[in-house]
Amino acid sequence: MLKSGKPLRLRRLSLAGDDRHLLIPLDHSVSDGPVTPPGQWEELLKALVAGGADGIIVHKGRARTLAPDVLKTCALVVHLSASTACSADVDAKVLVGDVEEAVALGADAVSVHVNIGSDTEGRQLADLGAVARSCDIWGMPLIAMVYPRGPRIENPHDPALLSHIVNVAADLGADMVKTSVALPLDRMAEVVAHSPIPVLAAGGPPDGSDLIEYGTAVMAAGCRGLAVGRRIFSAPSPAALVSRLAAVVHGADGITSDMSMTTPTHYSTIVAGVA
């Protein structure tokens, strides 16, 4: 018998049941501003689900607006950290929600952002540890978004640094870690080898090159999934791009998407930032 709901929720984070994950962060509306033109939010959500996304990541207020039927085949991750591009220190993340609120919203997981090398690293680490404790109590999976960002970071793509970062996430209680990629990409295998927990590659290729090739390379390096936001929701057809990435993550036969639900959309009003 299950002693915790965490295994059930972790299973819902992988549509194909293969413990691989394609997550779409949509928390940019707090950090940078709207992710779609007016009136196109629900259309974007339907496109992501139709394409085969395993889960979306939103803040608690946005989660309250979701229609129950929208996420029938897609997990809900509630993001607990925030900062804005207007802040004096954009690397200073603070907690704006808690695990209990995520449970009440029906979330399948929560996520917390930590910037290693930032001026407020200590507080962010303390927040991650506190959230991990609550996650254990409530049986809630925890995705740690841990990045090398701040005045003390010389090379954010250094494999040794990233190997350290994934261990920080694991040691403080995360179930998965989303982080930057090593360069060259094949050195991401070193990071994965050092990680006690599944590693999700963040964003897209740093040089803006082909996203499918990027996804193929990081999955070949041993990553257990992708967490891509901006490159997807700014695409001319998010559903088509998600479908291609789902095939990369799960294998060509791993996901069957209902593309009949898809209406191609061009999201032209996108603010700058990191996925």
Side-chain angles (χ1 to χ4, degrees), residues 10-192:
L10 283 169
R11 171 61 184 82
R12 291 197 290 266
L13 290 173
S14 177
L15 265 179
D18 57 2
D19 294 326
R20 295 186 175 197
H21 315 275
L22 175 57
L23 304 181
I24 316 298
L26 299 171
D27 55 295
H28 305 68
S29 48
V30 168
S31 57
D32 299 314
V35 301
T36 71
Q40 294 188 12
W41 170 253
E42 295 243 349
E43 189 176 358
L44 172 62
L45 291 180
K46 291 176 181 178
L48 300 179
V49 175
D54 291 290
I56 62 166
I57 302 173
V58 296
H59 283 282
K60 61 184 181 182
R62 190 77 61 172
R64 295 190 186 109
T65 71
L66 299 176
D69 287 345
V70 171
L71 299 182
K72 287 187 293 186
T73 60
C74 184
L76 171 64
V77 181
V78 174
H79 194 43
L80 304 183
S81 304
S83 69
T84 77
C86 303
S87 173
D89 181 0
V90 296
D91 296 323
K93 298 292 181 178
V94 298
L95 289 181
V96 292
D98 57 40
V99 177
E100 290 84 351
E101 289 175 301
V103 171
L105 287 166
D108 299 294
V110 297
S111 56
V112 173
H113 187 138
V114 175
N115 287 321
I116 297 296
S118 68
D119 289 336
T120 59
E121 175 192 297
R123 190 192 67 231
Q124 294 176 52
L125 290 174
D127 288 343
L128 176 60
V131 170
R133 180 178 182 275
S134 292
C135 283
D136 285 342
I137 292 171
W138 287 98
M140 180 69 73
L142 171 58
I143 302 169
M145 303 182 180
V146 190
Y147 303 98
R149 292 179 185 167
R152 294 157 191 82
I153 302 301
E154 294 183 6
N155 177 11
H157 302 290
D158 175 26
L161 174 59
L162 292 168
S163 295
H164 180 187
I165 279 174
V166 296
N167 276 273
V168 169
D171 288 342
L172 294 187
D175 298 290
M176 286 184 242
V177 55
K178 170 192 172 190
T179 194
S180 307
V181 293
L183 292 179
L185 284 178
D186 59 5
R187 296 200 66 186
M188 197 63 188
E190 300 172 33
V191 180
V192 172

